[in-house]
Amino acid sequence: MSAVRQLLRLTRTELTLFHRYRTALYMAFMPLVLLLPAFTMPEAEVAPGILNRAYLVSGLPVLSAMTLAVLHMPNVYAARREMMILKRFRVSGVPPAALFGATGVAVFAITVAISVLVGGLMAARFDTLPSDPLLLLLAVMLTTAIVSMLGLVFTNLARNAESAQMISMVPFLLFIAISGTFVPPDLMPAPVANALSYLPMLPAIDIARSAYFGLDTFGGVEGATSATGLDLWVAAAPSLLVLLVWLGIATYLLRFFRWDPRQAD
């Protein structure tokens, strides 16, 4: 069987298991908690015609991808490693790309479904639809791939599924902190904001928000100018480059994934 067919069959299995795993469903909808402050905070404009509530909600697709990937991947793969399932897959000839890719595609599919839900809420509440859906989808896809692979790397620190659940909270909180969601980069010292722009979360959030509103917000929301079509993609190019670099780093680190539950002496 080709690797592509293996990927498709394993993806179908992953989606079935995801539906049966209630904790995973909880992880998937966790970012929607941000809707509570978004709909209760005092209304104000962060840019001409852009409400602060809509601006906050527009980052949810990327936050959903990050949350599900970083919490789901370590938990699932630590449990499968502990039960020797991963070694059975490898012995049976399933390539890592098909095995890891199936879980990543399942996470991406669930994230897209949540993004559609968020888009419906944005349209109903703020009368706003994504200005560039393709760029928004690319941001979600890259975030899913990067954080999924980094989540797999974090399983090396866990002995079992229970410890993986606790360990994964550390990168989850770290990714939230560097995303600029709760503390906007405009309010940070310039060196801190510049440093965060070279980490994966802030560029992904910037791409998502710019794609949603058709604005060049990469230099900050204050003074953001209108940008659509090719102009928007050109403005997003540096952030996309950062994500591609992190994709390469995460792919390299995945080489050190531990398949055996037994620690080496």
Side-chain angles (χ1 to χ4, degrees):
M1 183 182 298
S2 67
V4 174
R5 289 186 63 189
Q6 289 179 331
L7 172 65
L8 294 177
R9 288 194 176 186
L10 288 172
T11 299
R12 183 176 60 183
T13 303
E14 291 284 358
L15 290 172
T16 301
L17 294 174
F18 190 96
H19 172 70
R20 296 175 179 175
Y21 186 31
R22 301 305 179 191
T23 302
L25 291 176
Y26 165 75
M27 294 174 185
F29 289 98
M30 184 187 298
L32 297 181
V33 175
L34 286 176
L35 292 174
L36 297 177
F39 289 128
T40 57
M41 63 177 16
E43 195 171 274
E45 283 194 349
V46 296
I50 306 298
L51 295 176
N52 55 349
R53 297 178 180 181
Y55 189 72
L56 176 61
V57 176
S58 64
L60 279 181
V62 166
L63 288 178
S64 297
M66 179 276 294
T67 300
L68 188 54
V70 79
L71 295 180
H72 181 65
M73 301 292 278
N75 185 25
V76 167
Y77 275 87
R80 293 174 183 175
R81 181 177 60 203
E82 187 180 7
M83 294 185 289
M84 306 295 290
I85 294 175
L86 296 183
K87 294 197 73 174
R88 292 171 190 166
F89 271 121
R90 295 295 290 122
V91 171
S92 64
V94 178
L99 187 61
F100 297 148
T103 317
V105 171
V107 170
F108 177 67
I110 300 299
T111 303
V112 169
I114 296 173
S115 300
V116 171
L117 175 61
V118 171
L121 292 173
M122 289 281 284
R125 180 63 179 84
F126 304 111
D127 194 23
T128 301
L129 290 173
S131 175
D132 195 325
L134 182 59
L135 184 57
L136 175 61
L137 186 66
L138 181 59
V140 172
M141 183 173 64
L142 288 175
T143 302
T144 302
I146 293 168
V147 181
S148 291
M149 287 188 284
L150 291 178
L152 289 168
V153 174
F154 290 133
T155 61
N156 290 343
L157 305 175
R159 290 181 175 271
N160 49 48
E162 288 76 15
S163 62
Q165 288 181 347
M166 294 183 289
I167 290 172
S168 62
M169 289 302 297
V170 176
F172 167 70
L173 295 175
L174 176 62
F175 284 135
I176 286 288
I178 66 176
S179 68
T181 300
F182 295 103
V183 181
D186 294 341
L187 302 180
M188 299 177 184
V192 175
N194 289 335
L196 294 184
S197 66
Y198 292 102
L199 299 177
M201 283 307 299
L202 185 57
I205 292 286
D206 285 342
I207 293 172
R209 286 173 170 167
S210 297
Y212 222 104
F213 299 111
L215 293 174
D216 180 357
T217 63
F218 298 100
V221 67
E222 292 186 4
T225 58
S226 177
T228 57
L230 182 60
D231 291 338
L232 182 58
W233 282 80
V234 170
S239 295
L240 288 172
L241 179 60
V242 171
L243 294 183
L244 290 175
V245 169
W246 274 100
L247 183 63
I249 293 173
T251 303
Y252 174 77
L253 292 176
L254 198 57
R255 298 176 57 187
F256 302 101
F257 179 79
R258 185 163 56 85
W259 297 91
D260 198 316
R262 292 183 290 272
Q263 296 282 354
D265 295 330

